[in-house]
mmCIF file of all heavy atoms in Angstrom:
data_model
loop_
_atom_site.group_PDB
_atom_site.id
_atom_site.type_symbol
_atom_site.label_atom_id
_atom_site.label_comp_id
_atom_site.label_asym_id
_atom_site.label_seq_id
_atom_site.Cartn_x
_atom_site.Cartn_y
_atom_site.Cartn_z
ATOM 1 N N SER A 10 96.469 122.001 91.645
ATOM 2 C CA SER A 10 95.906 122.330 90.169
ATOM 3 C C SER A 10 96.046 123.884 90.030
ATOM 4 O O SER A 10 95.699 124.584 90.905
ATOM 5 C CB SER A 10 94.564 121.879 90.126
ATOM 6 O OG SER A 10 94.034 122.312 88.925
ATOM 7 N N ARG A 12 94.135 125.216 88.266
ATOM 8 C CA ARG A 12 92.741 125.736 87.960
ATOM 9 C C ARG A 12 91.970 125.910 89.406
ATOM 10 O O ARG A 12 92.087 124.884 90.139
ATOM 11 C CB ARG A 12 91.958 124.596 87.103
ATOM 12 C CG ARG A 12 92.562 124.441 85.823
ATOM 13 C CD ARG A 12 91.579 123.822 84.857
ATOM 14 N NE ARG A 12 91.286 122.431 85.216
ATOM 15 C CZ ARG A 12 90.587 121.726 84.429
ATOM 16 N NH1 ARG A 12 90.025 122.213 83.262
ATOM 17 N NH2 ARG A 12 90.242 120.403 84.652
ATOM 18 N N SER A 16 88.248 122.231 88.359
ATOM 19 C CA SER A 16 89.329 121.320 88.708
ATOM 20 C C SER A 16 88.730 120.076 89.379
ATOM 21 O O SER A 16 88.105 120.135 90.440
ATOM 22 C CB SER A 16 90.290 122.021 89.645
ATOM 23 O OG SER A 16 91.031 121.029 90.324
ATOM 24 N N HIS A 17 89.018 118.913 88.779
ATOM 25 C CA HIS A 17 88.516 117.686 89.392
ATOM 26 C C HIS A 17 89.289 117.317 90.732
ATOM 27 O O HIS A 17 88.629 116.706 91.621
ATOM 28 C CB HIS A 17 88.694 116.505 88.318
ATOM 29 C CG HIS A 17 87.923 116.748 87.047
ATOM 30 N ND1 HIS A 17 88.437 117.446 86.040
ATOM 31 C CD2 HIS A 17 86.650 116.367 86.792
ATOM 32 C CE1 HIS A 17 87.406 117.454 85.031
ATOM 33 N NE2 HIS A 17 86.391 116.806 85.525
ATOM 34 N N SER A 18 90.551 117.609 90.640
ATOM 35 C CA SER A 18 91.393 117.259 91.881
ATOM 36 C C SER A 18 90.895 118.080 93.054
ATOM 37 O O SER A 18 90.805 117.525 94.124
ATOM 38 C CB SER A 18 92.847 117.263 91.641
ATOM 39 O OG SER A 18 93.180 118.533 91.195
ATOM 40 N N PRO A 90 96.874 117.522 89.806
ATOM 41 C CA PRO A 90 96.602 117.006 88.378
ATOM 42 C C PRO A 90 98.027 116.480 87.974
ATOM 43 O O PRO A 90 99.087 116.688 88.509
ATOM 44 C CB PRO A 90 96.415 118.280 87.606
ATOM 45 C CG PRO A 90 96.990 119.350 88.285
ATOM 46 C CD PRO A 90 97.219 119.123 89.800
ATOM 47 N N LEU A 91 98.016 115.670 86.906
ATOM 48 C CA LEU A 91 99.188 115.177 86.299
ATOM 49 C C LEU A 91 99.515 116.189 85.166
ATOM 50 O O LEU A 91 98.673 116.414 84.277
ATOM 51 C CB LEU A 91 98.821 113.774 85.730
ATOM 52 C CG LEU A 91 100.140 113.087 85.027
ATOM 53 C CD1 LEU A 91 101.117 112.689 86.132
ATOM 54 C CD2 LEU A 91 99.804 111.815 84.328
ATOM 55 N N ASN A 93 102.245 116.898 82.195
ATOM 56 C CA ASN A 93 103.358 116.301 81.456
ATOM 57 C C ASN A 93 104.030 115.230 82.186
ATOM 58 O O ASN A 93 105.313 115.185 82.418
ATOM 59 C CB ASN A 93 104.235 117.530 81.136
ATOM 60 C CG ASN A 93 103.627 118.497 80.227
ATOM 61 O OD1 ASN A 93 102.964 118.086 79.248
ATOM 62 N ND2 ASN A 93 103.757 119.758 80.518
ATOM 63 N N MET A 94 103.203 114.300 82.534
ATOM 64 C CA MET A 94 103.608 112.926 83.135
ATOM 65 C C MET A 94 104.293 113.201 84.619
ATOM 66 O O MET A 94 104.784 112.263 85.173
ATOM 67 C CB MET A 94 104.676 112.372 82.219
ATOM 68 C CG MET A 94 104.165 112.034 80.860
ATOM 69 S SD MET A 94 105.309 110.976 79.987
ATOM 70 C CE MET A 94 104.607 111.159 78.347
ATOM 71 N N ARG A 136 93.918 113.083 86.055
ATOM 72 C CA ARG A 136 94.697 113.182 84.744
ATOM 73 C C ARG A 136 93.696 113.076 83.659
ATOM 74 O O ARG A 136 92.594 112.475 83.688
ATOM 75 C CB ARG A 136 95.711 112.140 84.667
ATOM 76 C CG ARG A 136 95.153 110.651 84.751
ATOM 77 C CD ARG A 136 96.168 109.661 84.489
ATOM 78 N NE ARG A 136 96.685 109.767 83.107
ATOM 79 C CZ ARG A 136 97.660 109.032 82.552
ATOM 80 N NH1 ARG A 136 98.183 108.039 83.271
ATOM 81 N NH2 ARG A 136 98.054 109.168 81.370
ATOM 82 N N GLY A 137 94.100 113.711 82.518
ATOM 83 C CA GLY A 137 93.284 113.817 81.333
ATOM 84 C C GLY A 137 93.109 112.595 80.657
ATOM 85 O O GLY A 137 92.164 112.138 80.180
ATOM 86 N N GLY A 138 94.262 111.723 80.512
ATOM 87 C CA GLY A 138 94.232 110.474 79.674
ATOM 88 C C GLY A 138 93.793 109.284 80.521
ATOM 89 O O GLY A 138 93.634 109.275 81.743
ATOM 90 N N THR A 173 89.844 112.559 82.539
ATOM 91 C CA THR A 173 89.063 113.803 82.650
ATOM 92 C C THR A 173 88.819 114.543 81.368
ATOM 93 O O THR A 173 87.935 115.263 81.126
ATOM 94 C CB THR A 173 89.675 114.770 83.625
ATOM 95 O OG1 THR A 173 90.978 115.175 83.220
ATOM 96 C CG2 THR A 173 89.825 114.161 84.997
HETATM 97 C C1 FMN B 401 100.117 121.585 81.248
HETATM 98 C C2 FMN B 401 99.270 120.315 81.180
HETATM 99 C C3 FMN B 401 99.907 119.100 81.135
HETATM 100 C C4 FMN B 401 99.064 117.898 81.176
HETATM 101 N N1 FMN B 401 99.795 116.738 81.038
HETATM 102 C C5 FMN B 401 98.984 115.547 81.107
HETATM 103 C C6 FMN B 401 99.745 114.365 80.978
HETATM 104 O O1 FMN B 401 100.892 114.148 80.876
HETATM 105 N N2 FMN B 401 98.867 113.153 81.072
HETATM 106 C C7 FMN B 401 97.591 113.214 81.197
HETATM 107 O O2 FMN B 401 96.886 112.188 81.244
HETATM 108 N N3 FMN B 401 96.874 114.470 81.284
HETATM 109 C C8 FMN B 401 97.680 115.604 81.249
HETATM 110 N N4 FMN B 401 96.902 116.857 81.304
HETATM 111 C C9 FMN B 401 95.503 116.896 81.561
HETATM 112 C C10 FMN B 401 95.330 117.090 83.095
HETATM 113 O O3 FMN B 401 95.941 116.057 83.876
HETATM 114 C C11 FMN B 401 93.796 117.081 83.432
HETATM 115 O O4 FMN B 401 93.150 118.111 82.687
HETATM 116 C C12 FMN B 401 93.411 116.997 84.816
HETATM 117 O O5 FMN B 401 92.047 116.912 84.959
HETATM 118 C C13 FMN B 401 93.846 118.329 85.523
HETATM 119 O O6 FMN B 401 93.426 118.306 86.869
HETATM 120 P P1 FMN B 401 92.359 119.380 87.455
HETATM 121 O O7 FMN B 401 91.052 118.880 86.814
HETATM 122 O O8 FMN B 401 92.360 119.092 88.940
HETATM 123 O O9 FMN B 401 92.790 120.675 87.057
HETATM 124 C C14 FMN B 401 97.676 117.971 81.268
HETATM 125 C C15 FMN B 401 97.147 119.240 81.485
HETATM 126 C C16 FMN B 401 97.894 120.435 81.465
HETATM 127 C C17 FMN B 401 97.162 121.733 81.651
#
Side-chain angles (χ1 to χ4, degrees):
S10 175
R12 301 198 290 184
S16 160
H17 297 91
S18 56
L91 186 68
N93 297 315
M94 303 186 192
R136 61 172 295 180
T173 63

